[in-house]
Amino acid sequence: MSTVKEQTKPETTVEVESFLKNLFQGHIAEDLVFPFPEIPEDVKETVEAFAGAYTEFDAAHLDSDKMDKEHFFPREAVKAMGELGVMGMTIPEEYGGSGFSSAAYCRMTEVIAPLDASAAIVVGAHESIGLKPLLLFGNDEQKKKWLPDLASGKLIAAFCLTEPEAGSDAGSLKTTAVYDPTTNEYVLNGTKQWISNGAFARFFSVFARIPGNPAEKDGHKEIACFAVIAKEDCTLPGLSRGPEEKKLGLCASSTCQIIFENCRVPAANLIGEKGHGFKIALETLNTGRTSLGAGSVGGSKMMIKLAVDHATQRKQFKTRIADFEMIRHKITRMTATTYVLESMVYLTAGLVDRHVGDYSLEGACCKVFGTEVLWQNINDGLQVAGGNGFMDEYPYGRALRDSRINMIFEGTNEILRLLIALSGMKELGDSLKEVQSALKSPLAQHGILTEYAHKRLKGVITHDKLTKVHPSLAPEADQVGRYAGIFANACETILRKHGKKVVDKEYQQERIADVLIDLYAQIATLSRVTAAIAKKGEEKAAGELEIARWFCARARHRMVANLKALDKNRDADCTSISDRVYEAGGYPYDLWA
Ligand SMILES: Cc1cc2nc3c(=O)[nH]c(=O)nc-3n(C[C@H](O)[C@H](O)[C@H](O)COP(=O)(O)OP(=O)(O)OC[C@H]3O[C@@H](n4cnc5c(N)ncnc54)[C@H](O)[C@@H]3O)c2cc1C
């Protein structure tokens, strides 16, 4: 019988590294993305039963409007969520959790987020990031000590990385952890900013700098991660909280500063190795991002329902507004992008559950594409609702407010585009270096070359094709294969042109990231539709085929535009225009001035 549980590593470890990093070298590691991961019926039953229980819980215990207006998440509700098992979904059973797979967790996030976004933050800040450093990097003793209470919700977790001066540049954090050998403790000093669950968390994953340890030039290597545990009344000497932030959205969720003033933490609370804190923070965020995509799937589905209900009931010009083509366009766009996003999220969750070596770029794509799709879908839904959409009694305004932060936290979408472009280019650069050194001493190097370097040396860099897509989608499969090749060539050209300076070329990085996101979106969709056809036949999968064709045609336009602009663009004008505006301190061309 299949299970909702995470698959165990030894049986399923896949040796090939990141699917998307391979795309930078023109290699489509098709076996990683075909067949589309199937969710077994018994897993569906178990997860859907839990989702049903949560939905009932939400109706009975969470007065979403009241909580939002009062800017308060009742503490009894947090406790009840723990009792329901929501706080331990991803924690292995041996520590009292449910041991959900990534797919199961994504499904639950999809259900929880549209019911109440603040509740999704309580869960996400706890499970996706707060306790993740312990889960991923803690030792056995630490796990045994804290995971059971984290699973039951007795301990609520928070993730403390951001500081007033260290946001996107988290590696510049200033909080210090100074070792005191007399007590075998670290003494923490510093301020963490905008910490979700801050008011009621008792388990804090805190990132702090151990000055001068080790004496590395790279400041990141001084950073360590500590588990800081507050007492049952949430207090701890040396730890204090700032006032609750007044926010645009997610109003019921708790966001506050966590201030450390000579806060003493036992040395045994160090998570992972001393210099590995920054890596732990990045890994944690990498694993959490797919679920932000999943929350966006849930929010988008809700918007489609609202838009369809309104469009089919509202008449203007003696016609259902649903029948106007501009409304149809919105409904189609909302549905297609949601389908594509759902495909990306569950394809990525499948990679995580198969323990593929590296899914950082796939997770980042889900987050960037998902949060932007959700924003557009809420905007479309609101537009379909017309004036009603602007009224407080309808859910659109709140949905806009609540969803806006998705594009900012857990790595802003700008930073994630940099991550996508530069991580892929780095890998490509390493392979090219290999080619160069092999050319210098071909015999010495040959045995250890990557497949890519081998091909490059032979001068036969033919790009891969998608071979497993259903024949009904052959033109779309061809398109993806062709553009994956063009993309890889373009990345190589950019890299050769700029060398290390490519890190400063953000105009280009944004385009590269956007093409990669479009490639992944199409591949995920083609994989899913192929599986749908195999399962229910072409006729029954007709709607999904249409979506794939519609989306791939759109994606092609974007890819062409982005790839062309890598070569011919107005980037110099863009720099100059913004320089003039900076110099003027605002809009310099006021017609009335
Ligand atoms: C409601 C809420 C909850 C949060 N919860 C947590 C939490 O639980 N734990 C935690 O540690 N943090 C949390 N954060 C912090 C959040 O992760 C940061 O706000 C985020 O990382 C961005 O940092 P910043 O706000 O300082 O923006 P900045 O880093 O100052 O960025 C400002 C703008 O500049 C852009 N930018 C920055 N650098 C670059 C670059 N190199 N290239 C292009 N553009 C760039 C950014 O994309 C952004 O648009 C939360 C924030 C909010 C608002």
Side-chain angles (χ1 to χ4, degrees):
M1 197 175 95
S2 41
T3 141
V4 263
K5 312 288 155 19
E6 228 196 326
Q7 294 170 30
T8 48
K9 220 164 185 170
E11 287 168 35
T12 52
T13 297
V14 177
E15 294 303 329
V16 189
E17 285 296 301
S18 162
F19 173 74
L20 287 180
K21 285 183 184 169
N22 268 300
L23 271 193
F24 278 83
Q25 304 183 10
H27 176 47
I28 303 176
E30 239 185 330
D31 286 345
L32 285 181
V33 291
F34 285 86
F36 192 81
E38 193 174 352
I39 303 166
E41 283 308 316
D42 57 324
V43 171
K44 264 191 197 160
E45 263 173 40
T46 311
V47 177
E48 290 308 283
F50 193 46
Y54 182 83
T55 307
E56 279 173 24
F57 165 85
D58 173 87
H61 295 273
L62 301 182
D63 187 342
S64 195
D65 283 346
K66 184 165 179 268
M67 285 165 22
D68 190 59
K69 287 202 175 81
E70 291 178 358
H71 290 217
F72 187 71
F73 205 96
R75 303 299 183 252
E76 324 75 81
V78 181
K79 193 165 170 251
M81 283 162 78
E83 284 158 7
L84 189 67
V86 187
M87 309 312 272
M89 290 186 285
T90 56
I91 296 176
E93 278 178 313
E94 58 181 305
Y95 302 110
S98 306
F100 271 14
S101 64
S102 176
Y105 181 63
C106 281
R107 173 62 181 164
M108 285 306 299
T109 308
E110 195 193 308
V111 170
I112 294 169
L115 289 172
D116 185 273
S118 287
I121 290 301
V122 173
V123 177
H126 173 80
E127 289 215 52
S128 289
I129 52 177
L131 61 79
K132 235 354 144 24
L134 171 64
L135 199 57
L136 295 177
F137 297 94
N139 59 37
D140 283 350
E141 204 178 315
Q142 292 171 331
K143 287 184 183 176
K144 274 187 204 140
K145 193 168 174 189
W146 296 311
L147 282 178
D149 283 348
L150 287 161
S152 69
K154 193 172 168 202
L155 283 178
I156 297 293
F159 180 79
C160 300
L161 179 65
T162 305
E163 298 180 359
E165 298 304 322
S168 297
D169 183 12
S172 67
L173 64 84
K174 291 195 175 66
T175 297
T176 53
V178 177
Y179 183 61
D180 179 353
T182 56
T183 57
N184 195 23
E185 288 170 325
Y186 283 91
V187 184
L188 264 56
N189 277 290
T191 297
K192 295 293 177 178
Q193 166 125 310
W194 299 329
I195 304 307
S196 303
N197 288 351
F200 47 83
R202 287 179 52 213
F203 181 97
F204 301 90
S205 293
V206 183
F207 298 88
R209 197 172 285 285
I210 303 177
N213 171 58
E216 295 272 0
K217 276 190 212 147
D218 177 359
H220 291 172
K221 299 229 168 98
E222 286 185 340
I223 298 173
C225 176
F226 296 90
V228 178
I229 323 294
K231 293 186 282 190
E232 278 200 32
D233 62 358
C234 287
T235 66
L236 185 72
L239 183 153
S240 59
R241 295 166 168 88
E244 275 297 342
E245 300 289 350
K246 292 190 170 62
K247 306 190 290 284
L248 172 71
L250 302 178
C251 294
S253 72
S254 163
T255 314
C256 64
Q257 284 193 338
I258 302 292
I259 303 146
F260 299 98
E261 287 165 303
N262 295 323
C263 180
R264 291 188 160 265
V265 182
N269 288 21
L270 181 75
I271 306 272
E273 289 177 43
K274 271 183 200 164
H276 287 188
F278 195 62
K279 182 175 165 251
I280 293 174
L282 294 187
E283 266 308 281
T284 297
L285 292 167
N286 280 342
T287 59
R289 285 193 186 112
T290 314
S291 59
L292 272 176
S296 303
V297 173
S300 293
K301 287 179 183 172
M302 182 183 87
M303 276 299 135
I304 294 169
K305 170 92 184 94
L306 288 167
V308 170
D309 285 351
H310 185 77
T312 50
Q313 282 158 29
R314 175 76 171 163
K315 280 193 174 172
Q316 288 293 282
F317 307 100
K318 298 191 178 123
T319 311
R320 293 187 325 165
I321 63 165
D323 294 327
F324 296 125
E325 288 185 352
M326 283 194 227
I327 299 295
R328 283 187 189 281
H329 183 207
K330 289 182 195 20
I331 300 292
T332 296
R333 180 165 61 201
M334 293 168 84
T335 308
T337 53
T338 302
Y339 182 91
V340 172
L341 172 61
E342 195 178 41
S343 310
M344 287 166 88
V345 164
Y346 288 99
L347 181 65
T348 308
L351 296 175
V352 178
D353 290 333
R354 286 163 66 195
H355 300 284
V356 165
D358 177 352
Y359 45 82
S360 54
L361 298 200
E362 289 78 1
C365 287
C366 289
K367 197 268 191 181
V368 173
F369 183 83
T371 56
E372 292 175 9
V373 153
L374 176 61
W375 182 246
Q376 186 183 46
N377 287 342
I378 296 170
N379 194 39
D380 278 347
L382 192 155
Q383 191 69 16
V384 170
N388 282 346
F390 203 64
M391 298 300 142
D392 218 16
E393 66 200 270
Y394 289 85
Y396 305 96
R398 171 142 181 228
L400 275 179
R401 288 193 286 108
D402 283 345
S403 69
R404 186 61 185 84
I405 186 61
N406 291 334
M407 291 180 275
I408 297 172
F409 61 16
E410 296 202 24
T412 68
N413 286 11
E414 286 79 14
I415 294 298
L416 293 184
R417 283 187 163 91
L418 303 190
L419 173 96
I420 291 169
L422 292 179
S423 313
M425 301 274 260
K426 183 186 174 300
E427 210 100 327
L428 177 61
D430 290 346
S431 286
L432 288 175
K433 257 189 242 152
E434 225 182 308
V435 176
Q436 274 163 0
S437 52
L439 284 171
K440 279 183 202 146
S441 58
L443 291 176
Q445 296 287 333
H446 232 75
I448 52 161
L449 288 184
T450 60
E451 195 188 338
Y452 177 77
H454 266 300
K455 283 186 190 169
R456 291 286 302 148
L457 272 177
K458 285 192 212 148
V460 283
I461 187 79
T462 52
H463 294 293
D464 291 352
K465 291 188 168 130
L466 277 175
T467 61
K468 298 187 178 182
V469 176
H470 189 270
S472 305
L473 287 166
E476 286 72 22
D478 261 11
Q479 168 180 306
V480 171
R482 202 151 24 91
Y483 280 92
I486 298 171
F487 168 78
N489 282 339
C491 290
E492 189 178 324
T493 307
I494 295 283
L495 204 54
R496 284 185 187 282
K497 184 170 169 193
H498 299 297
K500 280 187 184 158
K501 288 201 178 127
V502 76
V503 294
D504 301 323
K505 307 290 172 195
E506 286 200 4
Y507 296 130
Q508 302 292 49
Q509 290 167 27
E510 185 171 24
R511 294 179 183 119
I512 287 169
D514 284 345
V515 175
L516 192 80
I517 293 170
D518 262 330
L519 285 171
Y520 190 48
Q522 292 172 91
I523 290 168
T525 306
L526 294 177
S527 173
R528 179 170 168 198
V529 179
T530 298
I533 296 172
K535 195 170 177 189
K536 53 190 172 192
E538 214 170 314
E539 210 176 309
K540 286 197 177 139
E544 292 171 73
L545 271 158
E546 284 165 6
I547 284 178
R549 289 179 184 133
W550 187 92
F551 182 82
C552 289
R554 291 280 179 122
R556 181 169 172 275
H557 288 300
R558 288 190 297 266
M559 291 192 301
V560 168
N562 275 318
L563 288 164
K564 272 193 181 157
L566 283 174
D567 191 31
K568 278 203 172 118
N569 53 57
R570 288 276 172 194
D571 290 350
D573 287 344
C574 190
T575 301
S576 173
I577 292 167
S578 51
D579 271 345
R580 288 177 204 278
V581 180
Y582 294 150
E583 211 173 300
Y587 182 65
Y589 311 110
D590 195 331
L591 189 66
W592 294 84

